[in-house]
Amino acid sequence: MFDFLNLKPSVYSLPNALPAPRRIRDGFEFCNVSFAYPGSDRLVVKNISFRIAPSERLALVGENGAGKTTLVKLLSRMYDPVSGRILLDGIDIRNYDLSEYRQTISAIFQDFVRYDLPIRENIGFGGLEALTDDCRLRAAAQKGGAAALIERFSLGLDQILGRRFEGGVDLSGGEWQKMALSRAYARDAQLVILDEPTASLDARAEHDIFERFAELTVGRMVVLISHRFSSVRIANKIIVLGGGEILEEGTHEQLMRLRGKYADLFELQAAGFREQRRSEERRVGKECRSRW
């Protein structure tokens, strides 16, 4: 226990650190960034360079292990690069006060936390100043698709979630994910990171979330990771990663014309969806014939 308490963080604020910009002007820039996880010599990100402009929606795609989640963990300063720099408005992000810097970012990762606590705190942890602001919490829930869940409970925002405590109610995987999405919207962040934000949602719920996505992120930078290529088409720019390196970069239309890795993955997924739809149609037809 004491050994654990004595651990020193590897990511911290430097003495006389700069305040984070209240309004980002030039955006973020990765400059020849490489990274290996602690205890390993294997680079999972190799000499990556790209920019995220203000108000830009960027999608990161690629197969498992391509380095997508690692990039957003570097961007949110959960880790620092082993070489290269990440700049914000032309300044290395390591020069900013860590707490203030992280306040500029709101993130939901695919392994989001399910808090056995009231809905108020499940959402409000995204921006602690929102914990006592019911209007702000409900607005975040509306954006994240959790508003209808709150209305189901007589206690509303004070309903305890999870089975750990008396009176708590459990949610489905998709409902928990809506809570996590709402938590991401609770913070008035300049950069929103969504790492597989709809992985546990059905097709209809996913469609509803992304229908509103562009409207909800007006004026903000967005980094989106998703294996569903129907989702990433909303991005202004798509970066295709493989083996920790950038393979392709461009809009959906540009990458489809390129006929490279992105086009292959997109068509492979589209073929899978078409076959799934045909199988469903055959199943429904068979059921109808058996009834007649």
Side-chain angles (χ1 to χ4, degrees):
M1 176 67 174
F2 289 109
D3 288 341
F4 173 74
L5 293 174
N6 287 330
L7 287 175
K8 303 298 181 184
S10 58
V11 176
Y12 50 86
S13 295
L14 297 174
N16 302 315
L18 300 172
R22 293 188 177 275
R23 184 174 180 273
I24 295 174
R25 302 182 310 277
D26 302 325
F28 292 87
E29 184 174 5
F30 279 64
C31 303
N32 299 313
V33 170
S34 295
F35 177 73
Y37 281 100
S40 172
D41 295 326
R42 185 179 73 86
L43 291 176
V44 292
V45 169
K46 306 170 187 175
N47 296 316
I48 292 282
S49 296
F50 65 89
R51 292 194 64 221
I52 310 172
S55 302
E56 185 172 49
R57 296 192 297 271
L58 170 69
L60 301 175
V61 303
E63 297 172 312
N64 290 336
K68 305 182 296 297
T69 297
T70 299
L71 282 181
V72 296
K73 287 182 177 179
L74 291 170
L75 185 58
S76 54
R77 272 210 82 191
M78 292 185 178
Y79 297 97
D80 285 331
V82 295
S83 65
R85 299 189 301 162
I86 303 172
L87 308 180
L88 171 57
D89 285 351
I91 298 173
D92 193 315
I93 62 174
R94 286 173 284 202
N95 292 326
Y96 290 113
D97 177 82
L98 180 60
S99 179
E100 285 198 23
Y101 174 77
R102 287 179 174 166
Q103 285 296 316
T104 68
I105 300 172
S106 182
I108 170 176
F109 294 98
Q110 52 190 318
D111 54 349
F112 59 86
V113 177
R114 307 180 183 199
Y115 295 104
D116 287 61
L117 292 167
I119 293 175
R120 175 184 306 281
E121 295 173 16
N122 265 278
I123 297 176
F125 283 164
L128 296 181
E129 65 280 2
L131 280 171
T132 57
D133 188 338
D134 287 13
C135 290
R136 184 166 168 181
L137 292 173
R138 291 185 182 277
Q142 186 68 41
K143 292 177 181 179
L149 293 175
I150 297 173
E151 299 306 318
R152 273 174 29 194
F153 306 117
S154 60
L155 293 176
L157 290 168
D158 295 313
Q159 173 62 53
I160 296 176
L161 300 180
R163 295 294 187 185
R164 182 167 298 174
F165 299 110
E166 185 177 353
V169 296
D170 207 359
L171 303 178
S172 68
E175 290 170 337
W176 275 113
Q177 190 147 35
K178 289 178 182 179
M179 284 292 164
L181 274 168
S182 301
R183 186 158 60 243
Y185 283 120
R187 177 177 297 180
D188 187 21
Q190 300 184 71
L191 170 65
V192 180
I193 296 173
L194 302 173
D195 185 352
E196 296 287 356
T198 58
S200 298
L201 302 181
D202 58 38
R204 170 58 62 184
E206 180 189 41
H207 175 76
D208 292 343
I209 290 292
F210 282 106
E211 275 285 290
R212 306 197 313 273
F213 187 76
E215 176 187 347
L216 297 175
T217 56
V218 169
R220 302 184 187 188
M221 289 176 284
V222 176
V223 176
L224 169 66
I225 297 175
S226 178
H227 283 97
R228 297 179 184 177
F229 282 27
S230 59
S231 303
V232 303
R233 295 179 65 170
I234 66 169
N236 307 118
K237 180 169 64 180
I238 300 169
I239 291 179
V240 185
L241 296 166
E245 300 178 287
I246 295 179
L247 304 181
E248 299 166 3
E249 184 176 343
T251 64
H252 170 77
E253 292 75 17
Q254 290 170 339
L255 294 175
M256 290 301 291
R257 288 196 297 268
L258 188 62
R259 309 304 301 170
K261 183 71 172 178
Y262 178 85
D264 287 344
L265 291 172
F266 183 88
E267 291 174 355
L268 183 65
Q269 189 171 98
F273 284 136
R274 286 194 294 268
E275 179 57 34
Q276 186 178 14
R277 179 178 295 178
R278 284 194 292 266
S279 297
E280 181 65 17
E281 289 172 350
R282 287 194 294 267
R283 183 188 65 79
V284 172
K286 185 176 180 180
E287 287 180 358
C288 291
R289 287 193 298 273
S290 66
R291 290 173 184 170
W292 283 101

